[in-house]
Amino acid sequence: MRTKIVAGNWKLNNTKEESKTLIKDLKKAIEDKKLKNTRVIVAPTFVNLASSVKTAKKSKIEVVAQNMHQAKNGAYTGEVSAEMLKAIGVKTVILGHSERRTYFNETDAALAEKVNTILENKMETIFCFGELLEDRKADKHFEVVESQLSNALFHLKGADFKSIILAYEPVWAIGTGETASPEQAQEMHAFIRSIIEKKYTKEVADNVSILYGGSVKPANAEEIFSKPDVDGGLIGGAALKVADFTAIIKAI
Ligand code: PEP
């Protein structure tokens, strides 16, 4: 059975105290929920990771990073390594978010290196990808997604996919209020599974969790999550409010 996951990407939001409060409130809000086979994840900014890990201890909530550098160490001012994250109890890292691709010029090639670093360190990634609006309008969305996956991930072995969570995030739906319809999400998730099966095996394809991200809210979460190939969501804006995030978790 595939693991269900609801992950909140906090982006450049929340001070140390605000992060602690949000985690504490979330802990309370979900403590009596039956969340069998469901992971609840939050991704605070780097400086608040260590304190967030402490606050989330002995709870269902996992704290993950929003990014990581591929090098072990060296002259990379402003960057953070896998080893540094592991040392504070962070085992999972979001990679390839569209905002990193757009504003920080992250390429598929750099992401392939980052994924290798994740695996060398026995960590896990939530790997994001998705097409631009112009790609979808030009009917190139399947092609774009296939090339993003193939460039950054398809050098891996099938067994490596145990450490990979995929997050399909059409860029036109991130932070815009515009969501892919549940049918559009299902269609793309089924396509992703089919190309993984073609490249690897049915077992690898059946076992990888594929999250949908892009303006998921309490009002649309249940319908999106009801689709057979959607295993949960990567949530931006709605993850900043405990009530909304809890409602989305309940919808899984
Ligand atoms: C995201 O940043 O990954 C995201 C999906 O954002 P939002 O939910 O705000 O669209």
Side-chain angles (χ1 to χ4, degrees):
M1 201 203 298
R2 283 194 294 275
T3 312
K4 304 264 184 198
I5 300 166
V6 181
N9 174 15
W10 291 357
K11 312 190 187 192
L12 186 57
N13 292 294
N14 294 329
T15 61
K16 181 176 171 183
E17 281 314 309
E18 286 164 349
S19 304
K20 278 191 186 173
T21 305
L22 191 44
I23 291 173
K24 280 186 191 159
D25 291 349
L26 184 60
K27 255 193 203 176
K28 259 189 242 143
I30 63 171
E31 68 193 352
D32 61 340
K33 308 266 176 300
K34 287 189 190 68
L35 293 170
K36 258 179 92 186
N37 194 40
T38 302
R39 292 172 63 183
V40 176
I41 291 175
V42 297
T45 190
F46 281 135
V47 288
N48 297 324
L49 282 174
S51 56
S52 296
V53 167
K54 277 193 200 138
T55 310
K57 230 180 197 130
K58 293 204 184 107
S59 80
K60 175 89 197 155
I61 303 164
E62 296 171 50
V63 175
V64 313
Q66 297 176 17
N67 181 35
M68 181 201 78
H69 197 270
Q70 58 270 43
K72 187 172 162 45
N73 51 28
Y76 301 103
T77 302
E79 292 292 334
V80 169
S81 75
E83 200 180 324
M84 291 168 192
L85 292 172
K86 277 203 300 189
I88 56 162
V90 172
K91 300 179 200 83
T92 305
V93 183
I94 297 173
L95 291 177
H97 193 280
S98 71
E99 287 147 19
R100 299 235 28 111
R101 292 177 188 256
T102 306
Y103 306 134
F104 304 98
N105 304 316
E106 275 195 1
T107 60
D108 288 341
L111 288 166
E113 289 179 26
K114 290 189 179 203
V115 170
N116 291 344
T117 302
I118 286 282
L119 294 168
E120 280 158 24
N121 283 277
K122 302 202 173 356
M123 294 171 80
E124 174 189 59
T125 181
I126 299 174
F127 185 83
C128 307
F129 54 94
E131 81 283 1
L132 304 172
L133 183 59
E134 67 214 51
D135 301 325
R136 187 158 277 263
K137 280 191 174 153
D139 211 17
K140 288 192 167 153
H141 41 299
F142 295 116
E143 201 182 301
V144 167
V145 162
E146 184 161 11
S147 99
Q148 288 172 327
L149 291 178
S150 139
N151 293 341
L153 299 181
F154 282 4
H155 61 289
L156 302 177
K157 298 197 276 299
D160 295 334
F161 278 76
K162 289 197 179 99
S163 308
I164 293 180
I165 299 160
L166 297 175
Y168 167 60
E169 299 205 300
V171 180
W172 47 271
I174 299 178
T176 58
E178 183 156 352
T179 323
S181 70
E183 291 69 32
Q184 285 173 319
Q186 169 57 26
E187 183 185 39
M188 182 57 88
H189 285 220
F191 171 74
I192 294 162
R193 234 179 267 292
S194 78
I195 56 175
I196 293 175
E197 180 173 344
K198 203 160 61 179
K199 170 76 187 167
Y200 298 98
T201 61
K202 180 161 166 41
E203 198 191 341
V204 173
D206 281 348
N207 285 319
V208 67
S209 294
I210 310 178
L211 315 185
Y212 168 77
S215 299
V216 176
K217 296 180 191 62
N220 58 24
E222 197 168 341
E223 213 190 338
I224 295 171
F225 294 165
S226 72
K227 294 295 174 192
D229 286 295
V230 177
D231 304 309
L234 181 55
I235 321 297
L240 297 170
K241 294 191 197 108
V242 175
D244 287 356
F245 196 51
T246 308
I248 293 170
I249 295 166
K250 272 175 70 181
I252 196 97

